[in-house]
Structures are given as structure tokens and as C-alpha cells.
């Protein structure tokens, strides 16, 4: 993942209208923090939703990157390592585990003129991390400032 999540976690989530929800293990979750931004060079869009925090050792989130384009675009992307899941574990070091999707499909409509994006996603992970398999959707009303 090309984003420093530790620094993102401290950013104000000023986009309260943005939504990112997922279904994992038959349980629906709405992200507490949602990020929609591009990198400094404008080569990638990043969309991310998470709950919990590193500090409280209860972080769970999904993040994906897609190629940057401007205009009014609707596309479906087949992703692998660009789609990442992460969560804190209750292990001795309270580490955060990161999982890269074996395959993922993201369908997205982005309009950079209105700063709006909507879409859906589905990702499957390798057998040992199948508990992170997910489907979900998102609706973004505002592009945040670049983070990278």
C-alpha cells in the first residue's frame, strides 16, 4: 500500500458525507473514516474506508488504488495487489496484518468536475486470509487533498 496509514489516521475526516460500507462474514459495516484522494503526481486514485484505530489496536479497513483519470469516467478494474485489507491483531506485538487480494473487481464512476464518485467492489483473498473476503460499495462527494 502506498499510503502511510499512520499519518492518514490523524487527518480530520472532513468528508462526513462520504460513505464506504462492506459486508464481510455476513456482517455489514460502515466505515468511520473514509478517504478519497489522488497521489501528488496524479497517477493513482485511492479510496479507503476504516473503523477503529491503531492506537486502540482495533483497526479494520480496506484500501484500493486505481489509475488516475480526469473527466467523467465509468470503468471496471480487475485488481490484485492494488486492493488491500488490514486489521489489528490481538497478538503480543499488537501488529497490524496486511492482506493483498488474490483478485478484486472495482466498478467506479468518477466525475472530477463535480468531485463525486460512486461504485462497488468485491475482493477475495488467499485461503489463509479468506476471512477478509469482502463486498461493498462507496459514495464520495468530495476529493480530499493529495496525501502522497
Amino acid at each position: 500500500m502506498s499510503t502511510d496509514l499512520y499519518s492518514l489516521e490523524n487527518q480530520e475526516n472532513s468528508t462526513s458525507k462520504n460513505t464506504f460500507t462492506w459486508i464481510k462474514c455476513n456482517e455489514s459495516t460502515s466505515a468511520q473514516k473514509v478517504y478519497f484522494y489522488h497521489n501528488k503526481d496524479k497517477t493513482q486514485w485511492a479510496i479507503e474506508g476504516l473503523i477503529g484505530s491503531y492506537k486502540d489496536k482495533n483497526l479494520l479497513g480496506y484500501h484500493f488504488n486505481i489509475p488516475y483519470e480526469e473527466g467523467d469516467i465509468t470503468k471496471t478494474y480487475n485488481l490484485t495487489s492494488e486492493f488491500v485489507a488490514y486489521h489489528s491483531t490481538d497478538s503480543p506485538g499488537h501488529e497490524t496484518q496486511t492482506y493483498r487480494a488474490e483478485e478484486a473487481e472495482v466498478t467506479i464512476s468518477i466525475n472530477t468536475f463535480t468531485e463525486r464518485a460512486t461504485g462497488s467492489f468485491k475482493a477475495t483473498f488467499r485461503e489463509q486470509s479468506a476471512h477478509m473476503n469482502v463486498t461493498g460499495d462507496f459514495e464520495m462527494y468530495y476529493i480530499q487533498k493529495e496525501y502522497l
Side-chain angles (χ1 to χ4, degrees):
M1 182 166 33
S2 59
T3 304
D4 180 355
L5 290 174
Y6 293 99
S7 64
L8 268 184
E9 183 179 349
N10 295 324
Q11 295 290 328
E12 180 181 332
N13 192 26
S14 61
T15 56
S16 60
K17 285 179 65 176
N18 289 352
T19 61
F20 187 104
T21 57
W22 65 82
I23 298 172
K24 178 176 97 64
C25 301
N26 294 321
E27 185 175 325
S28 180
T29 302
S30 294
Q32 297 166 336
K33 293 186 179 183
V34 178
Y35 301 98
F36 174 39
Y37 57 96
H38 57 75
N39 64 347
K40 191 173 189 169
D41 297 331
K42 292 188 174 181
T43 59
Q44 292 184 338
W45 287 109
I47 295 180
E48 176 175 9
L50 60 95
I51 59 172
S53 71
Y54 283 105
K55 186 178 109 182
D56 295 334
K57 301 176 179 101
N58 63 350
L59 183 71
L60 173 63
Y62 292 92
H63 171 102
F64 59 87
N65 294 323
I66 57 172
Y68 180 89
E69 292 185 53
E70 289 187 354
D72 191 2
I73 301 116
T74 299
K75 286 193 175 178
T76 297
Y77 296 93
N78 293 309
L79 308 175
T80 54
S81 63
E82 304 91 345
F83 195 105
V84 177
Y86 48 90
H87 74 95
S88 301
T89 61
D90 197 16
S91 63
H94 294 291
E95 299 172 0
T96 299
Q97 299 292 315
T98 301
Y99 305 96
R100 297 204 179 272
E102 187 168 37
E103 61 180 2
E105 182 177 279
V106 175
T107 300
I108 187 167
S109 294
I110 298 177
N111 186 321
T112 56
F113 307 115
T114 62
E115 295 194 343
R116 188 144 190 256
T118 58
S120 61
F121 56 90
K122 180 178 182 177
T124 56
F125 295 82
R126 297 189 193 285
E127 187 176 324
Q128 67 271 25
S129 51
H131 63 285
M132 298 304 287
N133 290 352
V134 67
T135 61
D137 54 49
F138 53 90
E139 192 162 10
M140 309 295 179
Y141 293 91
Y142 175 75
I143 301 170
Q144 293 160 290
K145 303 297 181 205
E146 60 198 34
Y147 281 109
L148 307 176

